[in-house]
């Protein structure tokens, strides 16, 4: 009996290896808590996964270790039903490679829930593990961490102005942040750009901001068969909109997952608002203004609100 079980397990592993060898996608460890409509921020080798639909738990996923660590939970009074999380950029630094901590901004809510606007000073939950592998500098880093760490690290706290009055982004009645997307921009990284759903219209599922010249910024937005390049002129506080092509294969879909790499955007899956969830992978080249549909598909259908 034991020999039969061992043989079955071996065959199962071989089948899984063959299946993985036939695809370009690798199966990663599942989240400790299933999350829907979660918001993610990239920081060094971490994906910070901040809550989801009616779920307040936040995790850090380490891309090299393929492991998760618990960060915190949103306050008990916060109901996550449509929210955005963005990384605030330090205007004095062009990159965060050497930054020991970052600041996150979370805001959102729907017409059925109260709005929230919170900030978190995030210090990596993986610091201790990484220090063990770098013995030569672990002592200095530990001393620095002890010096800089406060009781408010890795906690969602109210976003306040100079006099400590809370700031809430959005009006309570007519702003519904289900499906909203947000970006930080401006010459001093002091502007927050938001697209959100209004009057039951789903706004863009993909955005990317690029600096086109000293004071102009470009955002890309795709949803169903609509593609837009949105240019913002900071000097004159004006927007210009230019139509972009959308390939026929992806036009029926929205709620796709996406990632921007250099000058291209990759789209994964999507939903047609009826019954079809896609397994397709598409690429849009920003420089060439061209779409490509990949022959390889996802192991399973995927949608991301």
């Amino acid at each position: 009996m034991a020999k039969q079980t061992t043989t079955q397990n071996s065959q199962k592993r071989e089948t899984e290896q063959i299946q993985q060898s036939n695809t370009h996608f690798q199966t990663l460890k599942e989240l400790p808590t299933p999350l829907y409509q979660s918001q993610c921020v990239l920081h060094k080798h971490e994906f910070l996964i901040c809550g989801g639909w009616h779920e307040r738990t936040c995790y850090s996923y380490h891309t090299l270790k393929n492991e998760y660590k618990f960060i915190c939970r949103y306050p008990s009074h916060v109901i996550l039903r449509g929210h955005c999380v963005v990384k605030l950029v330090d205007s004095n630094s062009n990159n965060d490679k050497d930054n020991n901590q970052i600041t996150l901004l979370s805001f959102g809510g729907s017409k059925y829930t109260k709005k929230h606007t919170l900030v978190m000073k995030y210090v990596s939950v993986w610091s201790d593990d990484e220090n063990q592998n770098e013995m030569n500098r672990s002592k200095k880093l530990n001393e620095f961490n002890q010096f800089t760490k406060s009781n408010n690290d890795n906690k969602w706290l109210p976003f306040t102005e100079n006099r400590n009055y809370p700031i809430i982004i959005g009006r309570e009645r007519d702003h519904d942040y289900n499906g909203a997307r947000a970006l930080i921009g401006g010459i001093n990284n002091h502007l927050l750009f938001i697209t959100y759903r209004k009057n039951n219209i789903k706004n863009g599922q993909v955005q990317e901001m690029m600096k086109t010249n000293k004071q102009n910024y470009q955002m890309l937005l795709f949803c169903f068969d609509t593609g837009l390049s949105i240019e913002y002129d900071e000097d004159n506080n004006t927007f210009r909109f230019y139509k972009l092509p959308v390939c026929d294969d992806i036009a029926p879909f929205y709620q796709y997952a996406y990632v921007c790499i250099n000058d291209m955007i990759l789209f994964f899956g999507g939903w047609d608002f009826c019954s079809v969830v896609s397994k397709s992978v598409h690429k849009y080249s920003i420089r060439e203004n061209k779409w490509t549909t990949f022959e390889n598909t996802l192991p399973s259908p995927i949608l991301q609100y």
Side-chain angles (χ1 to χ4, degrees), residues 25-271:
F25 299 97
Q26 177 184 357
T27 301
L28 303 179
K29 185 171 290 187
E30 293 184 357
L31 264 166
T33 303
L35 296 175
Y36 172 60
Q37 294 190 11
S38 183
Q39 291 288 293
C40 300
V41 173
L42 178 63
H43 174 55
K44 297 183 179 179
H45 295 299
E46 299 178 57
F47 276 112
L48 309 181
I49 306 168
C50 303
W53 182 272
H54 291 274
E55 176 55 62
R56 301 186 181 94
T57 310
C58 302
Y59 295 98
S60 169
Y61 171 74
H62 201 290
T63 59
L64 302 182
K65 300 174 184 290
N66 189 22
E67 296 285 346
Y68 295 91
K69 275 195 177 183
F70 173 80
I71 300 175
C72 68
R73 288 185 176 87
Y74 277 84
S76 58
H77 69 275
V78 173
I79 299 175
L80 296 179
R81 187 171 174 176
H83 72 298
C84 285
V85 178
V86 294
K87 178 167 62 175
L88 300 183
V89 182
D90 183 358
S91 59
N92 297 320
S93 176
N94 293 325
N95 63 70
D96 62 359
K97 286 184 177 180
D98 299 319
N99 287 358
N100 186 58
Q101 63 190 34
I102 58 173
T103 302
L104 304 179
L105 172 69
S106 175
F107 66 94
S110 72
K111 60 183 178 181
Y112 305 106
T113 62
K114 290 185 68 65
K115 303 292 186 298
H116 77 270
T117 305
L118 305 170
V119 292
M120 178 199 295
K121 185 174 72 172
Y122 175 71
V123 178
S124 177
V125 293
W126 302 93
S127 295
D128 292 340
D129 294 347
E130 292 171 356
N131 287 345
Q132 291 176 6
N133 297 326
E134 300 178 23
M135 299 299 293
N136 291 333
R137 64 190 187 99
S138 62
K139 183 177 180 181
K140 291 183 179 180
L141 280 175
N142 285 329
E143 290 175 351
F144 178 75
N145 287 339
Q146 291 296 324
F147 177 76
T148 59
K149 190 172 182 179
S150 73
N151 291 330
N152 289 330
D153 290 346
N154 298 355
K155 294 179 181 179
W156 288 113
L157 302 172
F159 183 48
T160 58
E161 43 97 90
N162 293 335
R163 293 173 295 176
N164 253 1
Y165 290 118
I167 297 173
I168 300 295
I169 297 174
R171 292 190 290 271
E172 198 65 37
R173 292 186 178 180
D174 59 348
H175 283 185
D176 191 324
Y177 288 118
N178 276 311
R181 296 294 180 266
L183 291 166
I184 298 292
I187 191 170
N188 294 316
N189 294 307
H190 64 297
L191 301 176
L192 176 66
F193 297 88
I194 308 167
T195 65
Y196 63 95
R197 185 177 73 178
K198 191 173 183 181
N199 299 328
N200 293 324
I201 297 175
K202 299 285 196 309
N203 281 322
Q205 294 299 310
V206 174
Q207 297 179 73
E208 180 63 23
M209 176 166 286
M210 298 162 289
K211 193 170 183 179
T212 56
N213 56 49
K214 186 176 181 181
Q215 302 291 351
N216 284 25
Y217 296 84
Q218 180 188 27
M219 295 167 279
L220 304 184
L221 183 149
F222 294 95
C223 187
F224 289 116
D225 60 354
T226 298
L228 290 177
S229 172
I230 306 169
E231 187 174 286
Y232 174 67
D233 186 333
E234 188 172 353
D235 283 339
N236 299 311
N237 193 28
T238 58
F239 289 90
R240 287 186 178 182
F241 301 86
Y242 305 93
K243 286 188 176 181
L244 297 176
V246 178
C247 73
D248 293 339
D249 291 340
I250 201 175
F253 297 97
Y254 85 125
Q255 289 197 12
Y256 21 68
Y258 60 89
V259 62
C260 184
I261 304 173
N262 298 325
D263 75 328
M264 64 180 181
I265 304 175
L266 299 177
F267 299 79
F268 303 92
W271 184 39

Side-chain angles (χ1 to χ4, degrees), residues 6-18:
T6 303
T7 303
Q8 289 175 344
N9 291 337
S10 177
Q11 290 174 345
K12 183 179 179 181
R13 284 194 298 270
E14 288 179 4
T15 302
E16 291 175 349
Q17 289 172 357
I18 292 172

